[in-house]
Amino acid sequence: MNLRQYLLSKPEAQEDFPFGPEAAVFKVQGKMFALLGQRQGRASLNLKCDPQQAIGLRDLFPAVTPGYHMNKRHWNSVFDDGSIPPGEMQRMIDHSYALVVKGLARSQRLGLEARHGKAALYAGGAAETGGASAG
């Protein structure tokens, strides 16, 4: 799976390089939902995650560790070493994106929902994980 391509396929996702050319930051409405770079010679992806789910994913997959240089309660680092099924990798990306969208200011969130529909924004299930209220 091409991680960069999938990250950019999220509605209104933008790629930025605020930390230099080796770390691609993916944002929606100016808020980061993923950081793609290299760590220990391997592709590494930092993703936002519900804290309970983050622990479960770390227990389930050796390639998932507490977020490198991030809040370790809310972020995971995921090595793209082929050990995580592509569908699960997409689900983790979707979840990170949805959590960030749920945390946007109400006006930003409602604008995204109007332009793209809730199904496209919340594919990762953040609506059910107790993110910011939708109203």
Side-chain angles (χ1 to χ4, degrees), residues 9-34:
S9 76
K10 304 307 293 173
E12 299 186 29
Q14 294 184 327
E15 183 179 26
D16 192 14
F17 296 89
F19 308 116
E22 64 282 344
V25 174
F26 295 85
K27 299 178 180 181
V28 58
Q29 296 290 310
K31 299 287 185 184
M32 181 172 77
F33 69 92

mmCIF file of all heavy atoms in Angstrom, residues 9-34:
data_model
loop_
_atom_site.group_PDB
_atom_site.id
_atom_site.type_symbol
_atom_site.label_atom_id
_atom_site.label_comp_id
_atom_site.label_asym_id
_atom_site.label_seq_id
_atom_site.Cartn_x
_atom_site.Cartn_y
_atom_site.Cartn_z
ATOM 1 N N SER A 9 -5.455 10.912 0.045
ATOM 2 C CA SER A 9 -6.798 10.644 -0.471
ATOM 3 C C SER A 9 -7.885 11.063 0.518
ATOM 4 O O SER A 9 -9.060 11.124 0.163
ATOM 5 C CB SER A 9 -6.959 9.150 -0.803
ATOM 6 O OG SER A 9 -7.134 8.382 0.392
ATOM 7 N N LYS A 10 -7.508 11.356 1.761
ATOM 8 C CA LYS A 10 -8.475 11.790 2.762
ATOM 9 C C LYS A 10 -8.986 13.185 2.381
ATOM 10 O O LYS A 10 -8.219 14.006 1.872
ATOM 11 C CB LYS A 10 -7.866 11.814 4.170
ATOM 12 C CG LYS A 10 -7.245 10.493 4.644
ATOM 13 C CD LYS A 10 -8.162 9.305 4.549
ATOM 14 C CE LYS A 10 -9.329 9.401 5.495
ATOM 15 N NZ LYS A 10 -10.312 8.314 5.284
ATOM 16 N N PRO A 11 -10.276 13.472 2.600
ATOM 17 C CA PRO A 11 -10.831 14.768 2.187
ATOM 18 C C PRO A 11 -10.038 15.969 2.729
ATOM 19 O O PRO A 11 -9.785 16.075 3.922
ATOM 20 C CB PRO A 11 -12.249 14.756 2.773
ATOM 21 C CG PRO A 11 -12.602 13.291 2.836
ATOM 22 C CD PRO A 11 -11.300 12.603 3.191
ATOM 23 N N GLU A 12 -9.621 16.813 1.802
ATOM 24 C CA GLU A 12 -8.911 18.060 2.085
ATOM 25 C C GLU A 12 -7.582 17.869 2.821
ATOM 26 O O GLU A 12 -7.083 18.784 3.482
ATOM 27 C CB GLU A 12 -9.817 19.069 2.799
ATOM 28 C CG GLU A 12 -11.016 19.435 1.939
ATOM 29 C CD GLU A 12 -11.893 20.544 2.501
ATOM 30 O OE1 GLU A 12 -11.378 21.430 3.228
ATOM 31 O OE2 GLU A 12 -13.096 20.534 2.200
ATOM 32 N N ALA A 13 -7.004 16.680 2.692
ATOM 33 C CA ALA A 13 -5.691 16.428 3.298
ATOM 34 C C ALA A 13 -4.633 17.224 2.555
ATOM 35 O O ALA A 13 -4.673 17.343 1.326
ATOM 36 C CB ALA A 13 -5.355 14.945 3.252
ATOM 37 N N GLN A 14 -3.692 17.763 3.311
ATOM 38 C CA GLN A 14 -2.575 18.499 2.733
ATOM 39 C C GLN A 14 -1.275 17.978 3.322
ATOM 40 O O GLN A 14 -1.220 17.604 4.497
ATOM 41 C CB GLN A 14 -2.713 19.987 3.018
ATOM 42 C CG GLN A 14 -3.910 20.615 2.340
ATOM 43 C CD GLN A 14 -3.963 22.113 2.555
ATOM 44 O OE1 GLN A 14 -3.559 22.619 3.584
ATOM 45 N NE2 GLN A 14 -4.451 22.825 1.548
ATOM 46 N N GLU A 15 -0.246 17.983 2.487
ATOM 47 C CA GLU A 15 1.082 17.538 2.907
ATOM 48 C C GLU A 15 1.967 18.761 3.113
ATOM 49 O O GLU A 15 1.933 19.703 2.315
ATOM 50 C CB GLU A 15 1.662 16.634 1.820
ATOM 51 C CG GLU A 15 2.997 16.033 2.147
ATOM 52 C CD GLU A 15 3.491 15.123 1.031
ATOM 53 O OE1 GLU A 15 3.091 15.314 -0.139
ATOM 54 O OE2 GLU A 15 4.288 14.224 1.323
ATOM 55 N N ASP A 16 2.735 18.741 4.200
ATOM 56 C CA ASP A 16 3.604 19.856 4.541
ATOM 57 C C ASP A 16 4.919 19.276 5.070
ATOM 58 O O ASP A 16 4.973 18.112 5.477
ATOM 59 C CB ASP A 16 2.906 20.708 5.618
ATOM 60 C CG ASP A 16 3.588 22.045 5.850
ATOM 61 O OD1 ASP A 16 4.422 22.458 5.028
ATOM 62 O OD2 ASP A 16 3.267 22.685 6.877
ATOM 63 N N PHE A 17 5.972 20.076 5.069
ATOM 64 C CA PHE A 17 7.283 19.623 5.538
ATOM 65 C C PHE A 17 7.865 20.617 6.549
ATOM 66 O O PHE A 17 8.953 21.156 6.341
ATOM 67 C CB PHE A 17 8.232 19.430 4.348
ATOM 68 C CG PHE A 17 7.795 18.351 3.403
ATOM 69 C CD1 PHE A 17 6.946 18.646 2.353
ATOM 70 C CD2 PHE A 17 8.206 17.044 3.582
ATOM 71 C CE1 PHE A 17 6.513 17.646 1.481
ATOM 72 C CE2 PHE A 17 7.780 16.043 2.727
ATOM 73 C CZ PHE A 17 6.935 16.349 1.674
ATOM 74 N N PRO A 18 7.168 20.861 7.680
ATOM 75 C CA PRO A 18 7.657 21.856 8.637
ATOM 76 C C PRO A 18 8.938 21.449 9.370
ATOM 77 O O PRO A 18 9.614 22.299 9.934
ATOM 78 C CB PRO A 18 6.489 21.997 9.627
ATOM 79 C CG PRO A 18 5.795 20.682 9.558
ATOM 80 C CD PRO A 18 5.925 20.242 8.124
ATOM 81 N N PHE A 19 9.254 20.159 9.366
ATOM 82 C CA PHE A 19 10.438 19.657 10.078
ATOM 83 C C PHE A 19 11.572 19.301 9.128
ATOM 84 O O PHE A 19 12.548 18.678 9.520
ATOM 85 C CB PHE A 19 10.078 18.436 10.933
ATOM 86 C CG PHE A 19 8.904 18.663 11.837
ATOM 87 C CD1 PHE A 19 7.741 17.929 11.677
ATOM 88 C CD2 PHE A 19 8.946 19.620 12.841
ATOM 89 C CE1 PHE A 19 6.646 18.138 12.501
ATOM 90 C CE2 PHE A 19 7.857 19.837 13.667
ATOM 91 C CZ PHE A 19 6.708 19.104 13.493
ATOM 92 N N GLY A 20 11.434 19.658 7.848
ATOM 93 C CA GLY A 20 12.441 19.335 6.855
ATOM 94 C C GLY A 20 11.955 18.268 5.894
ATOM 95 O O GLY A 20 10.893 17.671 6.097
ATOM 96 N N PRO A 21 12.727 18.005 4.846
ATOM 97 C CA PRO A 21 12.275 17.115 3.771
ATOM 98 C C PRO A 21 12.121 15.646 4.172
ATOM 99 O O PRO A 21 11.481 14.871 3.481
ATOM 100 C CB PRO A 21 13.350 17.271 2.693
ATOM 101 C CG PRO A 21 14.562 17.741 3.442
ATOM 102 C CD PRO A 21 14.055 18.552 4.600
ATOM 103 N N GLU A 22 12.678 15.251 5.319
ATOM 104 C CA GLU A 22 12.617 13.835 5.708
ATOM 105 C C GLU A 22 11.340 13.460 6.465
ATOM 106 O O GLU A 22 11.108 12.285 6.713
ATOM 107 C CB GLU A 22 13.846 13.454 6.536
ATOM 108 C CG GLU A 22 13.961 14.163 7.869
ATOM 109 C CD GLU A 22 14.482 15.596 7.795
ATOM 110 O OE1 GLU A 22 15.054 15.996 6.771
ATOM 111 O OE2 GLU A 22 14.286 16.327 8.784
ATOM 112 N N ALA A 23 10.508 14.444 6.816
ATOM 113 C CA ALA A 23 9.290 14.154 7.581
ATOM 114 C C ALA A 23 8.102 14.866 6.947
ATOM 115 O O ALA A 23 7.990 16.086 6.994
ATOM 116 C CB ALA A 23 9.452 14.593 9.028
ATOM 117 N N ALA A 24 7.209 14.083 6.329
ATOM 118 C CA ALA A 24 6.007 14.627 5.707
ATOM 119 C C ALA A 24 4.887 14.663 6.743
ATOM 120 O O ALA A 24 4.565 13.640 7.347
ATOM 121 C CB ALA A 24 5.590 13.774 4.518
ATOM 122 N N VAL A 25 4.314 15.852 6.949
ATOM 123 C CA VAL A 25 3.214 16.026 7.886
ATOM 124 C C VAL A 25 1.928 16.164 7.082
ATOM 125 O O VAL A 25 1.863 16.964 6.141
ATOM 126 C CB VAL A 25 3.435 17.274 8.774
ATOM 127 C CG1 VAL A 25 2.224 17.548 9.648
ATOM 128 C CG2 VAL A 25 4.676 17.082 9.634
ATOM 129 N N PHE A 26 0.912 15.380 7.453
ATOM 130 C CA PHE A 26 -0.368 15.410 6.760
ATOM 131 C C PHE A 26 -1.384 16.054 7.682
ATOM 132 O O PHE A 26 -1.526 15.661 8.845
ATOM 133 C CB PHE A 26 -0.784 13.991 6.354
ATOM 134 C CG PHE A 26 0.164 13.405 5.354
ATOM 135 C CD1 PHE A 26 1.326 12.777 5.773
ATOM 136 C CD2 PHE A 26 -0.071 13.528 3.995
ATOM 137 C CE1 PHE A 26 2.236 12.272 4.850
ATOM 138 C CE2 PHE A 26 0.835 13.030 3.063
ATOM 139 C CZ PHE A 26 1.991 12.392 3.494
ATOM 140 N N LYS A 27 -2.073 17.076 7.140
ATOM 141 C CA LYS A 27 -2.990 17.882 7.941
ATOM 142 C C LYS A 27 -4.350 17.973 7.266
ATOM 143 O O LYS A 27 -4.458 17.868 6.047
ATOM 144 C CB LYS A 27 -2.453 19.307 8.096
ATOM 145 C CG LYS A 27 -1.113 19.411 8.783
ATOM 146 C CD LYS A 27 -0.658 20.858 8.836
ATOM 147 C CE LYS A 27 0.691 20.994 9.514
ATOM 148 N NZ LYS A 27 1.122 22.397 9.575
ATOM 149 N N VAL A 28 -5.359 18.218 8.102
ATOM 150 C CA VAL A 28 -6.686 18.596 7.629
ATOM 151 C C VAL A 28 -7.054 19.863 8.375
ATOM 152 O O VAL A 28 -6.933 19.925 9.602
ATOM 153 C CB VAL A 28 -7.724 17.458 7.820
ATOM 154 C CG1 VAL A 28 -7.847 17.015 9.272
ATOM 155 C CG2 VAL A 28 -9.078 17.883 7.258
ATOM 156 N N GLN A 29 -7.424 20.893 7.636
ATOM 157 C CA GLN A 29 -7.762 22.192 8.227
ATOM 158 C C GLN A 29 -6.647 22.680 9.166
ATOM 159 O O GLN A 29 -6.913 23.214 10.239
ATOM 160 C CB GLN A 29 -9.096 22.115 8.964
ATOM 161 C CG GLN A 29 -10.287 21.822 8.083
ATOM 162 C CD GLN A 29 -10.624 23.002 7.171
ATOM 163 O OE1 GLN A 29 -10.733 24.125 7.617
ATOM 164 N NE2 GLN A 29 -10.781 22.725 5.885
ATOM 165 N N GLY A 30 -5.395 22.447 8.798
ATOM 166 C CA GLY A 30 -4.258 22.925 9.555
ATOM 167 C C GLY A 30 -3.866 22.081 10.758
ATOM 168 O O GLY A 30 -2.912 22.405 11.458
ATOM 169 N N LYS A 31 -4.566 20.973 11.014
ATOM 170 C CA LYS A 31 -4.283 20.112 12.167
ATOM 171 C C LYS A 31 -3.690 18.788 11.683
ATOM 172 O O LYS A 31 -4.237 18.132 10.795
ATOM 173 C CB LYS A 31 -5.554 19.817 12.970
ATOM 174 C CG LYS A 31 -6.217 21.048 13.543
ATOM 175 C CD LYS A 31 -5.433 21.607 14.693
ATOM 176 C CE LYS A 31 -6.198 22.763 15.324
ATOM 177 N NZ LYS A 31 -5.458 23.389 16.379
ATOM 178 N N MET A 32 -2.586 18.389 12.299
ATOM 179 C CA MET A 32 -1.897 17.165 11.895
ATOM 180 C C MET A 32 -2.683 15.911 12.259
ATOM 181 O O MET A 32 -3.152 15.776 13.385
ATOM 182 C CB MET A 32 -0.521 17.103 12.555
ATOM 183 C CG MET A 32 0.274 15.873 12.162
ATOM 184 S SD MET A 32 1.974 15.892 12.733
ATOM 185 C CE MET A 32 1.760 15.466 14.441
ATOM 186 N N PHE A 33 -2.801 14.984 11.291
ATOM 187 C CA PHE A 33 -3.367 13.671 11.581
ATOM 188 C C PHE A 33 -2.368 12.549 11.316
ATOM 189 O O PHE A 33 -2.596 11.410 11.714
ATOM 190 C CB PHE A 33 -4.692 13.431 10.829
ATOM 191 C CG PHE A 33 -4.573 13.274 9.328
ATOM 192 C CD1 PHE A 33 -4.432 12.028 8.759
ATOM 193 C CD2 PHE A 33 -4.624 14.384 8.495
ATOM 194 C CE1 PHE A 33 -4.344 11.878 7.384
ATOM 195 C CE2 PHE A 33 -4.545 14.246 7.119
ATOM 196 C CZ PHE A 33 -4.392 12.990 6.558
ATOM 197 N N ALA A 34 -1.242 12.869 10.676
ATOM 198 C CA ALA A 34 -0.221 11.844 10.429
ATOM 199 C C ALA A 34 1.125 12.502 10.144
ATOM 200 O O ALA A 34 1.185 13.618 9.631
ATOM 201 C CB ALA A 34 -0.625 10.965 9.244
#
